[in-house]
Amino acid sequence: MVSNERTPDARGEFLAGCRDMAPVLIGTVPFGFVAGMAAVGAGMTPLEGIALSLFAFSGIAQLVVAQLYAAQSPVVLTLAAALIVSLRFLMYSAALSPHVAHLPARWRVPLAYLMTDQGFAMGVHIYSQPGDRRLRHWHVLGSGVMLWVVWQSSVVAGAVLGAQVPAAWSLDFVVTLSFLVLLAPALR
C-alpha cells in the first residue's frame, strides 16, 4: 500500500517553516523599521539600537527600552520593565514545552531565543496538525530563523535610515498592524 502522505524531512520542514512565516512578515518589516528608528530617536547610536535588537529579540521590549532610555530611567527600572513585558514568553514556553521537551538543550536554547508572538502562533498551529511530529521542530526553527533575519534587517534599516523618514508618515500604527496580521489566520 502506497501512502499519499509525504515523509517529513528536516530540510523540507525548515523550508516549510520559512514559507509559512512569510505572510506574517507584512507587519514585521515596518514594525522592525520603527523599532530601529525608536532606538536611534531615543538617543542610542545605530550600533546600540542594533545590539539591543540582537540581545532582546522582542519588538515590544525594544520599544519599552527605547522609551525608558530616552527618559533617562535607571537601568534597573528599564530592565525590570523589559522583563515584565516579556513575561508572556513563560506562558508560551509552558504551552510548547511538551512538544520540544524531548529535544537536547542545543535545540531548546535556540528555539527559546527565537520565540516571539509570531513564532508561538506558528508553533501552536504546526503542533496541532495531525501527522508525523518527529521533525516539526525543524519547521519551528525555519519560521523563527526567517522572522529573525527579516526583523534584524528591518531594525538595521530603521536604525540607519530612519532619520530620513518624515515624521508626517506617523509609522506608529505598524505595531498594531503586526498583531492584526497574527489574528487574521485565527479569524478564518
Side-chain angles (χ1 to χ4, degrees), residues 4 13 17 19 21 52 63 66 79 83 89 105 109 114 159 165 167 173:
N4 289 336
E13 288 292 330
R19 182 192 65 240
M21 186 56 75
L52 172 62
L63 292 176
L79 292 174
L83 177 67
F89 294 118
V109 170
L114 293 171
V165 174
F173 76 94

Side-chain angles (χ1 to χ4, degrees), residues 38 43 145:
V145 166

Side-chain angles (χ1 to χ4, degrees), residues 60-71:
I60 298 300
Q62 288 174 240
L63 292 176
V64 165
V65 168
Q67 288 176 341
L68 292 174
Y69 183 86

Side-chain angles (χ1 to χ4, degrees), residues 58-100:
S58 167
I60 298 300
Q62 288 174 240
L63 292 176
V64 165
V65 168
Q67 288 176 341
L68 292 174
Y69 183 86
Q72 299 179 347
S73 295
V75 172
V76 172
L77 177 64
T78 303
L79 292 174
L83 177 67
I84 289 168
V85 299
S86 299
L87 285 175
R88 67 191 185 284
F89 294 118
L90 289 176
M91 293 182 292
Y92 294 171
S93 296
L96 290 178
S97 67
H99 304 291
V100 297

Side-chain angles (χ1 to χ4, degrees), residues 2-188:
V2 177
S3 171
N4 289 336
E5 189 175 317
R6 70 173 181 85
T7 303
D9 65 279
R11 182 177 183 269
E13 288 292 330
F14 181 87
L15 293 175
C18 292
R19 182 192 65 240
D20 291 348
M21 186 56 75
V24 175
L25 302 178
I26 294 167
T28 301
V29 170
F31 187 5
F33 192 85
V34 167
M37 282 178 44
V40 173
M44 294 180 201
T45 66
L47 187 59
E48 290 169 336
I50 293 164
L52 172 62
S53 182
L54 293 171
F55 178 73
F57 181 39
S58 167
I60 298 300
Q62 288 174 240
L63 292 176
V64 165
V65 168
Q67 288 176 341
L68 292 174
Y69 183 86
Q72 299 179 347
S73 295
V75 172
V76 172
L77 177 64
T78 303
L79 292 174
L83 177 67
I84 289 168
V85 299
S86 299
L87 285 175
R88 67 191 185 284
F89 294 118
L90 289 176
M91 293 182 292
Y92 294 171
S93 296
L96 290 178
S97 67
H99 304 291
V100 297
H102 68 285
L103 297 173
R106 73 176 191 276
W107 267 100
R108 291 190 317 267
V109 170
L111 290 178
Y113 171 74
L114 293 171
M115 181 58 56
T116 60
D117 299 305
Q118 299 90 335
F120 173 70
M122 184 68 62
V124 167
H125 174 74
I126 196 64
Y127 280 114
S128 70
Q129 300 299 310
D132 190 349
R133 295 179 178 192
R134 288 176 295 148
L135 297 176
R136 297 240 171 120
H137 55 284
W138 281 97
H139 188 284
V140 173
L141 180 66
S143 63
V145 166
M146 173 67 109
L147 184 66
W148 186 89
V149 167
V150 171
W151 175 263
Q152 300 304 338
S153 300
S154 301
V155 168
V156 168
V160 174
L161 304 173
Q164 299 171 13
V165 174
W169 286 12
S170 187
L171 293 177
D172 298 344
F173 76 94
V174 299
V175 175
T176 304
L177 175 64
S178 70
F179 286 102
L180 288 175
V181 169
L182 281 177
L183 286 175
L187 295 176
R188 271 187 255 156

